[in-house]
Amino acid sequence: MQTITTLAQLRPAIATLREQGRVALVPTMGALHEGHLTLVRAARAAAPNVVVSIFVNPRQFGAGEDLDAYPRQMERDAGLLEAEGAALLWAPPPGEVYPEGYATNISVAGVSEGLCGADRPGHFDGVATVVCKLFNQVMPDMALFGEKDWQQLAVIRRMARDLDLTRPAVEAIRGVPIVREADGLAMSSRNAYLSAEQRVQAAALPRTMREAIAALGQGAEPAHALAELRDALRNAGFSQVDYAELRDADTLAARDPDDGTDRGNVRLFVAARIGTTRLIDNMALG
Ligand code: PAF
């Protein structure tokens, strides 16, 4: 596996890979866990050349968020990627991605509003901007993202459609199902912030979500089921519930599961905090 840190080196390296076959990109911010490695394996199954980017993107962190604390483990990550058979690690420093005078922002309306977009102003602008740059830098045939960040995936797909991106085309932006720990907690680099006690409490997130979905399936009124979910999370030790909402899987518009249309396309989205750690999760109702 080659590790490349400058655009000048990246361009010929990508050109060589492209001569050998299709290129799949897995964008990450590092601190890799089994969820990321699942993306890399899915990419390997789909294309002979897998490029993984590791870049802790400052533009997607708000003031007071965890940019400085975000775990950085480049050597360990590179070893994991090498073992998974990635062809190239693209690990630029911030100045290579946002050189002096950088001034362009990509803002995606609609799908980036509400949910995490409401709690983290500017976050999805930062994501859309860096992902667009990564697509232009690597020019992959396909790109893979985890479905834990469902709203992020919707923002990226919208951006690719709106900007007529052809590499990767909208159809080649793939979501990969959430990878969970044995107790159901969705894998996330931020789980590393949890103390041992908080880690046990955190399992209440997927558990109470499954309970709410079961209650909805038995005819519970949505507002009641969501209020119960919020209470259950607080009782389990979560200090704050940022949102617990039912939304359309594609448009992310608010949905009532009993609105007579396809219930299978409704998802439950939750963000909640244990101490200062913010966890997100989402599950299909159907
Ligand atoms: O999901 C992430 O790790 C990041 O938001 C991404 C897509 C790599 C952009 O920085």
Side-chain angles (χ1 to χ4, degrees), residues 27-30 36 53 55-57 60 70 123 126-127 130-131 134 145 149 152 156:
T28 81
M29 297 204 301
H36 295 113
S53 62
F55 179 64
V56 182
N57 173 33
Q60 70 186 75
Y70 200 85
H123 168 69
V127 170
V130 81
V131 170
L134 289 168
F145 298 86
D149 298 299
Q152 164 171 285
I156 292 165

Side-chain angles (χ1 to χ4, degrees), residues 2 10-11 21 30 68 108 123 136 140 153 169 171 241 243 281 283:
Q2 310 172 67
L10 182 71
R11 296 215 159 99
D68 293 335
V108 181
H123 168 69
N136 286 334
L153 195 47
E171 301 72 36
V241 181
Y243 60 75
D281 202 344
M283 291 181 188

Side-chain angles (χ1 to χ4, degrees), residues 91-231:
E96 192 72 9
V97 179
Y98 302 117
E100 189 67 30
Y102 183 89
T104 302
N105 185 52
I106 295 179
S107 190
V108 181
V111 286
S112 67
E113 290 155 16
L115 303 176
C116 288
D119 297 330
R120 305 183 67 191
H123 168 69
F124 287 120
D125 285 18
V127 170
T129 301
V130 81
V131 170
C132 187
K133 283 177 69 77
L134 289 168
F135 286 176
N136 286 334
Q137 291 161 354
V138 177
M139 300 288 277
D141 296 285
M142 70 194 75
L144 296 90
F145 298 86
E147 290 183 349
K148 184 174 80 65
D149 298 299
W150 190 279
Q151 189 177 14
Q152 164 171 285
L153 195 47
V155 169
I156 292 165
R157 286 194 168 122
R158 185 75 255 169
M159 180 219 21
R161 189 173 291 128
D162 291 354
L163 298 183
D164 305 319
L165 297 191
T166 52
R167 281 194 183 277
V170 181
E171 301 72 36
I173 295 173
R174 300 194 186 168
V176 175
I178 297 175
V179 180
R180 297 182 180 279
E181 303 280 1
D183 62 5
L185 183 66
M187 288 195 185
S188 164
S189 305
R190 291 193 167 95
N191 293 352
Y193 297 152
L194 300 170
S195 69
E197 189 193 355
Q198 289 172 332
R199 175 61 192 81
V200 173
Q201 292 168 332
L205 179 56
R207 190 179 64 244
T208 55
M209 288 176 69
R210 282 194 306 271
E211 286 166 3
I213 289 170
L216 288 164
Q218 286 159 14
E221 216 263 308
H224 180 72
L226 295 178
E228 297 253 291
L229 167 57
R230 286 171 172 273
D231 287 347

